[in-house]
Amino acid sequence: MSKSDRPEKGIASPSRRNLLKAGLAAGGLAATAGFARAAEPDPYNLPPNVADWSRYLGVGVDNAPYGMPSEHESEVVRRSVEWLTASRESSINFTPLHDLDGIITPNGLCFERHHGGVAEMNPTDYRLMINGLVDKPLIFTLEDLKRFPRENRIYFLECAANSGMEWRGAQLNGCQFTHGMVHCVMYTGVPLKYILEEAGLKTNAKWIMPEGGDAAGMNRSVPIEKALDDCMVAFKMNGEALRPEQGYPARLVVPGWEGNMWVKWLRRIEVGDQPWHAREETSKYTDLLANGKARRFTWVMDTKSVITNPSPQAPITHGKGQTVLTGLAWSGNGRITRVDVTLDGGKNWHQARIDGPSLPKALHRFYFEFDWDGSDLLLQSRAYDETGYVQPTKDELRAVRGENSIYHNNGIQTWHVMADGGVENVEIS
Amino acid sequence: MSRFLKVLTVAAGVSLVAGAAGAGKLGLGTEATPEEIAGWNIDVRPDGQGLPEGRGTVAEGEVVFAEQCAVCHGDFAEGAGRWPVLAGGWDTLKSQHPVKTIGSYWPYLSTVYDYIYRSMPFGNAQSLTPDQTYAIVAYLLYMNDVVTDDEFELSNENFTSIRMPNEDGFIEDDRPDTPLVSEVEPCMTDCKDEVKITKRARILDVTPDEDGDTAGISVD
């Protein structure tokens, strides 16, 4: 018996069900990208009816050798803002932070930032060269790298330009766009110091220059102390091979430091006694101050946090009553020790609850549960790290740096929750 | 097991521990030959390290630039459409809308050579010869008024004599720079009398939707 000619039970006829589904689909299309839509349940699937999934067999085990999320999660995707950049190959997209929870970012949702598109690299032809101030210049295959002792570390990777569009004011409506140039995964790889020691560092080795194998040939200068401390050459993320857009087959991991330095498709590391002052540390990734001078080598990503829900793409849809507020906090200087949240624009603060692992230079997940009375709210979060650093307001940052820094905006974010549950990106006095 | 093998096994164990601690060589990788290094070793430093032998004049650079670069960067490096502006922007760094070009912002000429040679033209990187690159850099110096003689020739020999206008425009990272860095407990209750909304993203309305793009403040 096919589904169409079986006897109907319950209140919903097939035509009524199709109508409901069509209405949902149309609503989905009309909805603005990235914004939650109100879900209308199909009465046929609700008690006392017995839904189709309770009667008929589902697909077998080999339906999806590499599984994908439920089709009902199709809105949980990376998104871009096309006017931000002149080309799609040197551009950025954003992690859908408002739809995620915990501290690990799924590999397929990790934001992308390329300067010459995604290099499609054959792992058999992958080579990593070490040259410069070393006793013996070396070339490693990917197989060679996998014979070094490995370590597993969970780190956030934040683009230096994350929140950069917000320096002059509230611009983009959603934490995906204002804060989504960040992800956090578990990397498996080789401590960089093992690789450098294999070549043998000369005594005057003070800097390294990682370089990408993509068409941008991304190169940066990294001081040797950092290289020998916690940098890694990673070939796995969240247990599987790096995604091509994240540097397959191998990338540099530079914990706590700006994402630009995490060179993808890593093909070469030169060792030297001075920095190179490459384009990405002179023209870009230098922070212009109000007096016309610019900071360079601003490597560390300072303490930062954002409430991911409620947020403009995740309005409150349940009305008054018990409400879960959640968000992310992170610091390039170590662990997050505390997060405060305010519901009234900073008049009163409450200590949030950090749940899950608290790892240095990794995302931390916080929660604050409250009883919403339906009135307007001005939500903020304020993070602290283990060095005693307290996340500043945007105005405090502007007072020191002006509005043209582009990079390193870790100012406190404000969301305005309105009576209808809608949320907007605002700044407050 | 013979005594010899036992000794070997113990030695291997010691070697393994040393390797895991990063204290000894593991014998991985193969030595890079000078030819292999030469093919990939393209970086150039401010002191001139890495510059290949070569030369190019402003006039030669104008021709190469017109053929290879002008479609995006404009005939005079002024930028076409949304593509990067390479010349001009002097005295804008303190303004509300700084124009950061090679002439107005970049501290070192070596970066111009290094970047053009490694990643330009966009979409056809590492296709320029050293002479073409010297010529383009000479043309960009001329377009930025760093050199004023249109007969100027740039080479590996005179390269480091060129100084860029904004060489002294950079300071080292001096963070932390905000007043909240302290051991003082931030205010928790009754911290403000009044709160007003001063800026709204909805007013600017540049967040992308299904209909596509709209104008806004760009990051790059």
Side-chain angles (χ1 to χ4, degrees):
Chain A
M1 187 167 66
S2 74
K3 281 169 79 169
S4 58
D5 59 8
R6 69 190 161 81
E8 284 300 328
K9 277 180 71 177
I11 56 171
S13 70
S15 58
R16 172 70 183 140
R17 291 212 309 280
N18 289 338
L19 203 65
L20 280 170
K21 283 176 185 166
L24 270 180
L29 285 175
T32 308
F35 292 75
R37 60 188 181 209
E40 288 279 344
D42 182 344
Y44 179 79
N45 293 326
L46 303 179
N49 298 318
V50 177
D52 284 352
W53 56 67
S54 302
R55 300 173 180 236
Y56 304 109
L57 297 177
V59 297
V61 291
D62 292 328
N63 181 60
Y66 195 106
M68 293 290 286
S70 160
E71 61 179 287
H72 303 289
E73 300 297 319
S74 61
E75 291 184 350
V76 186
V77 290
R78 295 182 284 225
R79 291 187 176 82
S80 59
V81 179
E82 291 206 10
W83 54 259
L84 282 177
T85 52
S87 78
R88 307 313 296 147
E89 295 82 15
S90 180
S91 195
I92 187 84
N93 64 18
F94 301 88
T95 306
L97 299 179
H98 60 292
D99 276 319
L100 303 179
D101 215 313
I103 67 166
I104 296 294
T105 314
N107 287 340
L109 296 176
C110 289
F111 84 95
E112 300 166 73
R113 199 327 180 200
H114 318 306
H115 294 73
V118 177
E120 294 287 348
M121 211 177 265
N122 178 340
T124 309
D125 297 342
Y126 174 80
R127 293 294 183 274
L128 173 61
M129 178 185 289
I130 313 290
N131 70 304
L133 296 178
V134 292
D135 297 329
K136 183 164 121 179
L138 290 173
I139 292 179
F140 299 101
T141 64
L142 188 62
E143 194 176 42
D144 292 334
L145 293 182
K146 291 181 176 178
R147 293 169 67 195
F148 279 92
R150 288 175 213 170
E151 62 181 31
N152 296 288
R153 295 287 186 275
I154 295 174
Y155 294 120
F156 77 81
L157 187 172
E158 183 183 18
C159 179
N162 200 21
S163 314
M165 299 82 78
E166 306 293 301
W167 267 110
R168 292 189 194 154
Q171 180 165 239
L172 292 167
N173 222 11
C175 71
Q176 177 168 20
F177 303 109
T178 57
H179 289 75
M181 297 186 207
V182 67
H183 55 67
C184 184
V185 304
M186 178 181 280
Y187 294 98
T188 303
V190 183
L192 179 58
K193 62 184 174 189
Y194 296 174
I195 295 170
L196 295 175
E197 282 167 7
E198 200 69 14
L201 294 174
K202 303 268 197 198
T203 52
N204 55 341
K206 300 286 185 237
W207 294 81
I208 65 161
M209 187 208 72
E211 176 183 80
D214 59 325
M218 173 67 60
N219 57 334
R220 287 292 303 255
S221 303
V222 181
I224 198 73
E225 295 79 11
K226 180 67 173 176
L228 297 176
D229 178 18
D230 56 3
C231 288
M232 300 167 67
V233 175
F235 42 80
K236 303 267 190 191
M237 57 192 290
N238 290 333
E240 64 178 0
L242 297 181
R243 293 292 171 91
E245 65 269 26
Q246 301 298 338
Y248 179 84
R251 84 174 309 163
L252 192 65
V253 170
V254 191
W257 289 20
E258 60 188 15
N260 181 261
M261 307 177 81
W262 299 47
V263 173
K264 298 187 283 191
W265 312 289
L266 183 66
R267 78 162 190 170
R268 188 168 71 100
I269 296 173
E270 184 166 327
V271 181
D273 59 355
Q274 298 171 30
W276 278 259
H277 297 283
R279 187 255 197 178
E280 306 292 330
E281 54 203 16
T282 53
S283 171
K284 306 296 178 186
Y285 305 97
T286 50
D287 311 349
L288 186 59
L289 304 173
N291 65 3
K293 298 282 184 188
R295 288 183 181 142
R296 66 178 159 210
F297 300 150
T298 47
W299 297 313
V300 173
M301 300 307 293
D302 278 327
T303 306
K304 188 165 176 177
S305 67
V306 65
I307 294 167
T308 55
N309 203 319
S311 65
Q313 296 158 287
I316 300 177
T317 55
H318 55 58
K320 297 177 186 177
Q322 170 72 11
T323 301
V324 173
L325 177 158
T326 186
L328 293 165
W330 61 96
S331 168
N333 282 311
R335 289 179 177 79
I336 294 295
T337 51
R338 174 177 152 186
V339 180
D340 297 335
V341 300
T342 176
L343 307 180
D344 55 15
K347 289 181 185 171
N348 297 286
W349 294 84
H350 316 271
Q351 197 164 334
R353 182 171 60 83
I354 293 173
D355 190 84
S358 173
L359 301 167
K361 305 170 189 177
L363 293 186
H364 290 59
R365 172 63 58 178
F366 65 85
Y367 297 96
F368 180 71
E369 296 84 8
F370 67 101
D371 185 357
W372 184 40
D373 64 5
S375 61
D376 279 27
L377 305 175
L378 290 167
L379 307 180
Q380 294 181 329
S381 59
R382 176 172 72 192
Y384 306 61
D385 74 19
E386 60 186 320
T387 70
Y389 184 98
V390 183
Q391 185 183 1
T393 66
K394 290 179 184 175
D395 283 339
E396 284 167 329
L397 287 172
R398 290 183 191 123
V400 187
R401 304 181 194 173
E403 297 183 347
N404 289 321
S405 282
I406 298 180
Y407 309 105
H408 294 283
N409 182 353
N410 65 321
I412 288 174
Q413 174 67 46
T414 310
W415 303 130
H416 175 209
V417 180
M418 294 163 282
D420 65 359
V423 182
E424 64 175 335
N425 174 11
V426 299
E427 293 200 22
I428 59 173
S429 57
Chain B
M1 189 187 281
S2 74
R3 197 166 152 232
F4 179 65
L5 276 177
K6 278 181 186 168
V7 170
L8 263 187
T9 309
V10 170
V14 168
S15 156
L16 259 179
V17 170
K25 291 194 196 301
L26 303 170
L28 296 171
T30 53
E31 185 158 5
T33 67
E35 293 75 24
E36 288 172 328
I37 294 171
W40 282 13
N41 185 23
I42 57 173
D43 54 282
V44 175
R45 285 196 326 204
D47 64 357
Q49 180 185 290
L51 280 173
E53 283 188 26
R55 36 127 343 252
T57 64
V58 171
E60 289 163 348
E62 183 176 17
V63 174
V64 184
F65 196 87
E67 289 170 354
Q68 303 268 2
C69 320
V71 64
C72 293
H73 295 294
D75 287 338
F76 307 103
E78 78 280 18
R82 297 209 49 209
W83 297 101
V85 179
L86 305 182
W90 300 281
D91 301 322
T92 64
L93 298 184
K94 295 181 198 171
S95 75
Q96 186 59 28
H97 296 284
V99 179
K100 298 190 286 183
T101 72
I102 292 168
S104 70
Y105 192 65
W106 292 33
Y108 303 113
L109 188 62
S110 57
T111 313
V112 186
Y113 188 101
D114 178 271
Y115 184 67
I116 291 172
Y117 189 79
R118 76 171 50 244
S119 56
M120 289 289 128
F122 192 61
N124 192 22
Q126 297 196 45
S127 62
L128 298 169
T129 66
D131 282 353
Q132 286 178 314
T133 309
Y134 279 111
I136 292 172
V137 175
Y139 180 69
L140 290 172
L141 285 174
Y142 186 72
M143 284 294 113
N144 276 292
D145 293 350
V146 178
V147 300
T148 50
D149 176 6
D150 61 6
E151 312 259 301
F152 174 76
E153 178 181 272
L154 184 69
S155 72
N156 55 300
E157 307 216 318
N158 67 358
F159 193 95
T160 57
S161 68
I162 307 291
R163 285 279 175 278
M164 300 303 283
N166 198 42
E167 178 172 341
D168 296 326
F170 294 82
I171 60 171
E172 304 308 315
D173 186 4
D174 56 352
R175 292 175 297 164
D177 56 358
T178 49
L180 278 187
V181 183
S182 71
E183 300 300 319
V184 178
E185 177 73 10
C187 178
M188 294 297 284
T189 53
D190 299 326
C191 304
K192 298 177 180 178
D193 292 331
E194 191 185 23
V195 178
K196 279 185 181 164
I197 293 174
T198 56
K199 290 170 179 159
R200 294 175 187 264
R202 275 199 315 177
I203 304 298
L204 193 53
D205 196 21
V206 290
T207 309
D209 54 29
E210 296 286 315
D211 296 330
D213 296 335
T214 170
I217 301 165
S218 173
V219 131
D220 194 359

